């Protein structure tokens, strides 16, 4: 028993009873954190129980190494996301049934018994839920098994404890009045089941905080059916069945809860990249009017175009965000520029809002277009700890400007800064697209030998694709050494993006083998989250906050103080302290906590 991690590591590094392989930093280690009061009082009963549970679970995992693949039984559980509010079989940014179909198709090739698997993912959906829009209350869900009350009580040793909250079984959830219903379908030795609702949808506080919030009979029957064995209900439900849980790489905080409450091996999957929302209808027309104004503002048509811009902006409800003068009011040239600049800034803000590019499929690497979207966002951040400047910052420097001043000017509606920011944004995307295009095949997929292609690109100076692209823009004199460092970093990131191991890690887990751990979080701020397919953990508290997070937080706070000065004069009162918890801290490497 050790007082801190350092003391433990000192012992572990010098122990003589372990071979070199066991001492490897990547070797599996089980550690328990004990409360000091329990050490003093000798109250170790809980910890002994946990160790016994881990031993039993380890025995199950070890058995998976020796059991033939065709004999292994696998239960895949799907649910609704958000819980009980969305459609059955959804998850965060994941195409669930297409992913299941892809995984089972691969497992079938690998020798697992998946029975008569349908030919398409659509047929799989039809088999299980019969309706792509099915809610959990839908009568169309496929019933895999009807469990009698007597069978339920014999399988579920704690069923009597549930009667205080839910009455006698079978109850009215997952029940036909006589039997408990298990929704799903078997395919050989694979069962795809639909997790029941929680039963507390109208009372979320009870679900989260009430000690008496037990699972209902239908919920317990489902987990008894799939093979899970008191009064910690997650322990009772999961038993000692090995639990493999795919979790979004950018959500390590909740993944940690899943790991803690259900002993899960949480394998990360890549969330789809975010892409600019773009413009449509009236907003697109506004953008075209602004382009016309920029080329014709010094002619007699300037005032007329501004009047049309004001009218169109009001039709698009931009007057709720931007002060617009009345139509027909005579404006000075500088006033016209300011009005157009503010409208332009607003539609650029709308256009650049990030939306996820569809849904991810397990084991499927991103396309070239998706890789570009990810790299554009990665390139937008300074990384002082690595000596890397942001791509927009490098391009702004070419024009003798600081990118933060350009951002501020654009926010204020200064027309020249709004236009410069648009040019910087377009040039950044164009340079990165030119870079990624050199690593793609005819199908638009990024090839695996990114490293070799990157080496060849970095060796020829003028033929570097980003230099070729920028030479046709106003940023042709951008600092080549800074660009080289940035694109070398982006090349490393691109290798990680396409090095997908989501399916490989699942196979390792099913064989009872070691799945390499890795951090979770936002892959834009922390590309070390990649590649996905790791056994995700939350954060290293010694590495939070990062230097990049410090810089990002400073920029946001400086902007907030500037706005407060404008709104309240020079005096700024201390008004509040805002603290963001574990989810945002682990995802954004501490930047919001610093703010």
């Amino acid at each position: 028993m050790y007082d801190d991690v350092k003391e433990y590591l000192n012992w572990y590094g010098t122990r003589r009873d372990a071979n070199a392989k066991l001492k490897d930093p990547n070797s599996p280690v089980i550690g328990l954190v004990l409360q000091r009061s329990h050490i003093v009082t000798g109250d170790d009963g809980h910890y002994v129980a946990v160790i016994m549970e881990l031993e039993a679970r380890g025995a199950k995992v070890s058995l998976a190494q020796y059991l033939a693949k065709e004999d292994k039984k696998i239960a895949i559980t799907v649910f609704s996301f958000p819980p009980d509010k969305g459609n059955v079989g959804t998850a965060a940014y994941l195409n669930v049934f297409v992913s299941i179909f892809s995984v089972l198709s691969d497992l079938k090739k690998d020798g697992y018994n998946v029975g008569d698997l349908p030919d398409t993912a659509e047929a799989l959906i039809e088999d299980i839920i019969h309706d792509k829009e099915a809610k959990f209350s839908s009568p169309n869900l496929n019933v895999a098994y009807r469990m009698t009350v007597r069978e339920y009580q014999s399988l579920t040793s704690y069923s009597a404890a549930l009667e205080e909250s839910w009455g006698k079984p079978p109850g009215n959830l997952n029940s036909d009045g006589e039997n408990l219903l298990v929704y799903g379908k078997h395919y050989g030795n694979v069962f795809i089941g639909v997790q029941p609702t929680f039963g507390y949808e109208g009372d979320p506080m009870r679900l989260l905080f009430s000690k008496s919030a037990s699972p209902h009979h239908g919920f317990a029957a489902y987990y008894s059916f799939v093979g899970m064995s008191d009064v910690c209900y997650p322990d009772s439900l999961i038993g000692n069945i090995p639990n493999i849980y795919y979790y979004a790489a950018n959500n390590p905080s909740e993944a940690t809860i899943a790991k803690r409450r259900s002993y899960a091996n949480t394998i990360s999957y890549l969330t789809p990249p975010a892409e600019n929302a773009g413009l449509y209808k009236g907003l697109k027309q506004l953008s075209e009017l602004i382009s016309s104004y920029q080329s014709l503002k010094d002619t007699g048509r300037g005032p007329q175009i501004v009047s049309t811009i004001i009218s169109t902006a009001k039709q698009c409800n931009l007057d709720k965000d931007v002060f617009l003068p009345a139509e027909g009011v005579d404006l000075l040239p500088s006033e016209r520029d300011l009005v157009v600049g503010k409208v332009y800034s607003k539609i650029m803000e709308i256009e650049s809002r990030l939306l996820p590019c569809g849904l991810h499929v397990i084991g499927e690497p991103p396309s070239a277009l998706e890789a570009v979207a990810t790299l554009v966002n990665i390139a937008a951040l300074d990384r002082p700890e690595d000596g890397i400047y942001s791509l927009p910052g490098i391009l702004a420097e070419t024009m003798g400007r600081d990118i933060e001043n350009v951002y501020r000017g654009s926010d204020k509606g200064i027309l020249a800064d709004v236009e410069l920011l648009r040019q910087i944004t377009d040039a950044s995307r164009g340079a990165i697209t030119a870079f990624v295009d050199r690593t793609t095949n005819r199908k638009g997929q990024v090839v695996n030998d990114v490293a070799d292609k990157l080496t060849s690109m970095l060796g020829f100076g003028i033929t570097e694709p980003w230099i070729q692209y920028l030479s046709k823009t106003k940023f042709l004199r951008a600092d080549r050494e800074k660009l080289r460092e940035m694109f070398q970093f982006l090349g490393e990131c691109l290798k990680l993006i396409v090095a997908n191991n989501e399916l490989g890690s699942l196979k390792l887990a099913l064989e009872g083998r070691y799945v390499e751990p890795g951090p979770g979080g936002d892959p834009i701020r922390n590309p070390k989250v990649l590649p996905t397919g790791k056994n995700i953990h939350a954060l290293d508290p010694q590495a939070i906050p990062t230097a990049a997070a410090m810089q990002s937080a400073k920029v946001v706070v400086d902007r907030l103080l500037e706005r407060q000065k404008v709104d309240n004069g020079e005096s700024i009162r201390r008004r509040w302290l805002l603290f963001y918890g574990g989810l945002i801290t682990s995802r954004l490497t501490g930047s919001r906590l610093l703010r």
Side-chain angles (χ1 to χ4, degrees), residues 52-205:
M52 293 175 66
E53 179 65 41
L54 290 171
E55 288 175 343
R57 185 172 299 279
K60 285 272 189 177
V61 172
S62 297
L63 181 62
Q65 296 181 16
Y66 305 104
L67 197 64
K69 292 178 181 177
E70 63 268 21
D71 295 330
K72 292 179 181 177
K73 294 184 178 181
I74 303 170
I76 299 175
T77 298
V78 301
F79 64 107
S80 302
F81 181 88
D84 313 309
K85 301 297 181 185
N87 297 329
V88 169
T90 54
Y93 305 118
L94 184 68
N95 194 329
V96 172
F97 280 101
V98 174
S99 294
I100 291 174
F101 180 78
S102 174
V103 166
L104 292 184
S105 298
D106 201 88
L107 291 180
K108 184 176 182 179
K109 295 176 186 176
D110 215 33
Y112 287 83
N113 178 7
V114 300
D116 296 324
L117 187 68
D119 294 330
T120 64
E122 289 72 20
L124 186 69
I125 294 174
E126 179 63 29
D127 264 5
I128 296 169
I129 62 177
H130 304 316
D131 178 7
K132 291 183 180 180
E133 304 298 322
K135 306 291 184 183
F136 193 87
S137 58
S138 170
N140 296 325
L141 295 177
N142 190 70
V143 177
Y145 189 71
R146 286 178 166 81
M147 184 182 293
T148 65
V149 171
R150 179 173 292 181
E151 182 183 6
Y152 162 68
Q153 290 173 330
S154 67
L155 289 173
T156 313
S157 59
Y158 53 90
S159 62
L162 310 184
E163 295 180 9
E164 180 182 351
S165 298
W166 300 101
K168 295 286 185 182
N172 56 6
L173 296 172
N174 283 68
S175 165
D176 60 7
E178 296 182 2
N179 305 294
L180 292 146
L181 305 180
V182 177
Y183 294 116
K185 192 171 177 68
H186 281 96
Y187 296 96
N189 281 340
V190 176
F191 172 66
I192 304 174
V194 180
Q195 178 175 276
T197 60
F198 294 127
Y200 293 104
E201 284 65 52
D203 192 354
M205 290 301 101

Side-chain angles (χ1 to χ4, degrees), residues 270-274 366 369-379 497 523-524 530:
L270 187 65
T271 51
L369 289 176
E370 292 170 333
V372 167
T374 301
L375 293 181
V376 166
N377 292 322
I378 289 174
I497 290 169
I524 303 302
L530 304 170

Side-chain angles (χ1 to χ4, degrees), residues 210-223:
S210 174
K211 291 183 178 180
S212 64
S214 64
H216 57 78
H217 294 296
F219 202 98
Y222 174 84
Y223 280 101

Side-chain angles (χ1 to χ4, degrees), residues 254-516:
E254 291 184 19
T256 302
I257 296 172
K259 187 184 293 290
R260 161 66 186 90
R261 299 299 287 169
S262 63
Y263 307 99
N265 183 336
T266 47
I267 298 175
S268 64
Y269 66 80
L270 187 65
T271 51
E275 182 59 282
N276 290 343
L279 300 175
Y280 59 95
K281 294 185 179 180
L283 294 173
K284 191 173 182 65
Q285 182 185 354
L286 257 180
S287 179
E288 293 167 354
L289 285 169
I290 290 169
S291 296
S292 297
Y293 174 77
Q294 288 175 308
S295 59
L296 301 171
K297 66 178 183 176
D298 296 326
T299 69
R301 294 186 57 190
Q304 179 185 351
I305 296 174
V306 171
S307 180
T308 306
I309 288 173
I310 292 171
S311 174
T312 306
K314 288 181 177 178
Q315 291 173 13
C316 296
N317 294 320
L318 292 189
D319 55 328
K320 293 179 172 57
D321 301 300
V322 177
F323 173 75
L324 298 173
E327 296 173 47
V329 174
D330 290 333
L331 299 172
L332 296 172
S334 60
E335 293 174 328
R336 290 199 296 268
D337 280 358
L338 187 58
V339 170
V340 174
K342 286 185 175 180
V343 173
Y344 194 4
S345 177
K346 191 63 187 178
I347 64 172
M348 273 196 65
E349 177 189 330
I350 294 171
E351 183 180 15
S352 62
R353 284 174 180 165
L354 299 178
L355 298 175
C357 301
L359 298 173
H360 179 63
V361 175
I362 294 294
E364 188 173 293
S367 66
L369 289 176
E370 292 170 333
V372 167
T374 301
L375 293 181
V376 166
N377 292 322
I378 289 174
L381 298 176
D382 282 322
R383 302 181 189 273
E385 66 270 23
D386 298 316
I388 295 172
Y389 296 87
S390 73
L391 185 53
I394 296 170
L395 300 183
E397 198 177 72
T398 308
M399 310 306 298
R401 298 291 304 278
D402 180 87
I403 189 62
E404 289 305 322
N405 290 332
V406 176
Y407 288 141
R408 289 189 180 95
S410 177
D411 290 343
K412 293 175 182 177
I414 298 172
L415 186 57
D417 285 348
V418 177
E419 176 60 17
L420 177 58
L421 182 56
R422 185 193 64 78
Q423 293 170 348
I424 289 172
T425 302
D426 291 346
S428 296
R429 176 172 293 278
I432 290 173
T433 301
F435 164 60
V436 173
D437 283 347
R438 289 283 189 91
T439 67
T440 57
N441 58 24
R442 294 178 180 178
K443 297 180 180 179
Q445 298 169 320
V446 180
V447 295
N448 290 326
D449 59 340
V450 173
D452 294 339
K453 291 187 176 291
L454 181 64
T455 301
S456 65
M457 283 185 228
L458 291 171
F460 298 102
I462 192 65
T463 61
E464 292 168 353
W466 52 91
I467 296 294
Q468 288 182 330
Y469 178 85
L470 292 175
S471 67
K472 302 171 187 175
T473 72
K474 66 193 297 181
F475 307 105
L476 71 164
R477 291 187 175 84
D479 188 312
R480 294 196 176 187
E481 187 55 38
K482 289 181 179 178
L483 286 173
R484 179 179 288 245
E485 290 174 354
M486 165 55 73
F487 278 92
Q488 193 161 10
F489 174 70
L490 292 181
E492 294 299 318
C493 292
L494 185 58
K495 283 194 296 183
L496 295 175
I497 290 169
V498 300
N500 184 307
N501 196 34
E502 296 165 0
L503 199 50
S505 292
L506 173 66
K507 290 180 180 180
L508 287 175
L510 288 174
E511 293 169 12
R513 295 167 62 191
Y514 181 60
V515 177
E516 182 181 350

